Amino acid sequence: MGPSKKNQKRTNDENAPVKKNKKQKREDYRAAMREEGVSTLPRKKFYRQRAHANPFSDHQLVYPPHPEQMDWSTLYPEYVVKGSEETPAEETSESTAVIPKLLTQDVEVADIGCGFGGLLVALAPVMPETLVLGLEIRVSVTQFVEDRIKVLRHQNPGTKLYQNVSVLRANTMKFLPNFFRKSQLSKIFICFPDPHFKARKHKQRIVSTTLNSEYAYVLKPGGIAYTITDVPDLHEWMVQHFEAHPAFERVSEKEQEADPCVRIMRMETEEGKKVERNKGQKYVALFRRLEDPVW
């Protein structure tokens, strides 16, 4: 006598493959993307994360105590000085500092809140001799950009294409001067930042009197801060705060529209494309870092 239908169903269920939930699928996909030789660009649906992150939370972040102790070699391996080795510095009673490997040149361009890396990827071939860094606070989004750049480098062997761009998980509202020396950067991009509409949330906006002083610190005289948003109120906020800062002056509209980076900023960022699809308005403003006054 054969097994009952109930027992047969239980046996079939036990032998059936276990269905993976969405979280496991995401983890497996990302793990596969980390393997060597992957040549297919990552898919965003496996890296989705909340659009907003609280910059005042204690995120588990790694940052150097001083820019000179930042190791850029893993981010830009093609630009490491040959023969440069990580060497222990003078030991102290507290810890042993490490002198990181040297690069042939400094990072000069920062994209603050780089999102899924559209601007980075577009700038790479346009600024082939410049090191560009994306800074992003969200874990999954940062990993997407890392995997995207890794695949693009793999697709262009024997060249330096996309070797000049990289991404770093960081909270720029807290730690920007930990990564960059005074007057190190020539360009800072602030593209479609979180508008934080509620008045009590305005302190979380990425443009403020205090933060503009930090941008002035890391930007060299003549350097440019680029801003773009589709929110009129936020645009006015950014313009007011930059124009009120003594270290900045607004770039004329004629000079702004002649800057090739403005077109890229408008058209190549993910948010820019979204606004374009929805036939929305984009508000752009550029600000030049002035020379420091003579004491």
Side-chain angles (χ1 to χ4, degrees):
M1 184 176 179
S4 65
K5 291 184 179 180
K6 184 176 181 180
N7 290 338
Q8 183 67 49
K9 183 177 184 302
R10 184 183 299 115
T11 302
N12 291 339
D13 290 343
E14 291 174 352
N15 295 331
V18 178
K19 290 185 178 181
K20 297 180 180 179
N21 58 33
K22 290 184 179 180
K23 181 179 180 181
Q24 188 61 51
K25 286 181 179 179
R26 287 197 300 268
E27 291 176 354
D28 290 349
Y29 180 87
R30 295 183 199 178
M33 288 298 300
R34 292 283 170 168
E35 296 178 1
E36 293 297 324
V38 177
S39 58
T40 304
L41 289 170
R43 300 166 66 187
K44 288 182 187 175
K45 74 174 188 177
F46 293 104
Y47 300 82
R48 292 295 181 189
Q49 190 171 347
R50 289 179 61 187
H52 311 300
N54 184 356
F56 300 132
S57 296
D58 289 327
H59 300 276
Q60 294 181 345
L61 297 169
V62 178
Y63 58 92
H66 188 274
E68 301 301 334
Q69 295 180 25
M70 176 61 191
D71 182 11
W72 298 104
S73 62
T74 57
L75 302 181
Y76 304 97
E78 289 295 316
Y79 290 85
V80 174
V81 175
K82 292 183 179 179
S84 174
E85 299 287 345
E86 276 192 354
T87 55
E90 184 178 340
E91 292 190 15
T92 66
S93 58
E94 296 180 358
S95 62
T96 302
V98 173
I99 301 175
K101 295 179 182 179
L102 301 176
L103 295 187
T104 56
Q105 61 196 79
D106 290 331
V107 175
E108 286 188 44
V109 177
D111 180 10
I112 295 177
C114 67
F116 288 95
L119 181 66
L120 295 176
V121 171
L123 288 177
V126 176
M127 309 174 71
E129 304 301 322
T130 303
L131 297 189
V132 184
L133 179 70
L135 297 153
E136 174 60 49
I137 196 172
R138 293 169 292 172
V139 180
S140 296
V141 179
T142 303
Q143 188 174 346
F144 173 88
V145 182
E146 288 177 355
D147 293 342
R148 184 179 186 180
I149 293 172
K150 175 186 172 184
V151 171
L152 289 170
R153 290 175 176 178
H154 180 76
Q155 291 178 346
N156 295 272
T159 72
K160 278 197 171 184
L161 193 55
Y162 301 108
Q163 296 287 346
N164 63 322
V165 293
S166 193
V167 66
L168 185 68
R169 185 177 178 232
N171 183 345
T172 56
M173 290 184 71
K174 288 185 176 182
F175 304 119
L176 190 66
N178 291 74
F179 294 101
F180 305 114
R181 301 188 312 275
K182 179 177 172 59
S183 302
Q184 178 175 335
L185 302 180
S186 61
K187 298 180 187 294
I188 288 177
F189 289 89
I190 302 173
C191 302
F192 299 97
D194 191 333
H196 292 294
F197 289 107
K198 296 179 181 178
R200 63 184 178 85
K201 293 281 190 178
H202 285 179
K203 62 185 177 181
Q204 295 188 26
R205 285 181 169 177
I206 199 65
V207 169
S208 67
T209 302
T210 301
L211 292 174
N212 287 359
S213 293
E214 294 196 0
Y215 303 146
Y217 177 82
V218 297
L219 270 174
K220 64 180 66 175
I224 303 292
Y226 296 74
T227 71
I228 184 171
T229 180
D230 59 329
V231 180
D233 171 68
L234 180 59
H235 171 68
E236 293 173 6
W237 168 283
M238 293 193 290
V239 169
Q240 289 172 4
H241 280 75
F242 269 110
E243 287 187 332
H245 199 286
F248 289 98
E249 68 174 3
R250 188 168 182 180
V251 173
S252 69
E253 187 170 351
K254 181 179 180 181
E255 183 179 348
Q256 171 184 300
E257 295 308 311
D259 190 328
C261 290
V262 171
R263 184 197 64 79
I264 295 173
M265 184 173 65
R266 278 196 178 111
M267 305 306 298
E268 298 300 333
T269 61
E270 281 76 16
E271 285 296 323
K273 292 177 180 178
K274 180 180 177 181
V275 174
E276 195 72 20
R277 289 194 301 271
N278 295 333
K279 302 187 185 305
Q281 183 72 33
K282 303 171 192 174
Y283 303 92
V284 176
L286 275 56
F287 305 91
R288 180 179 290 104
R289 171 68 162 93
L290 299 172
E291 293 279 355
D292 290 326
V294 178
W295 289 90

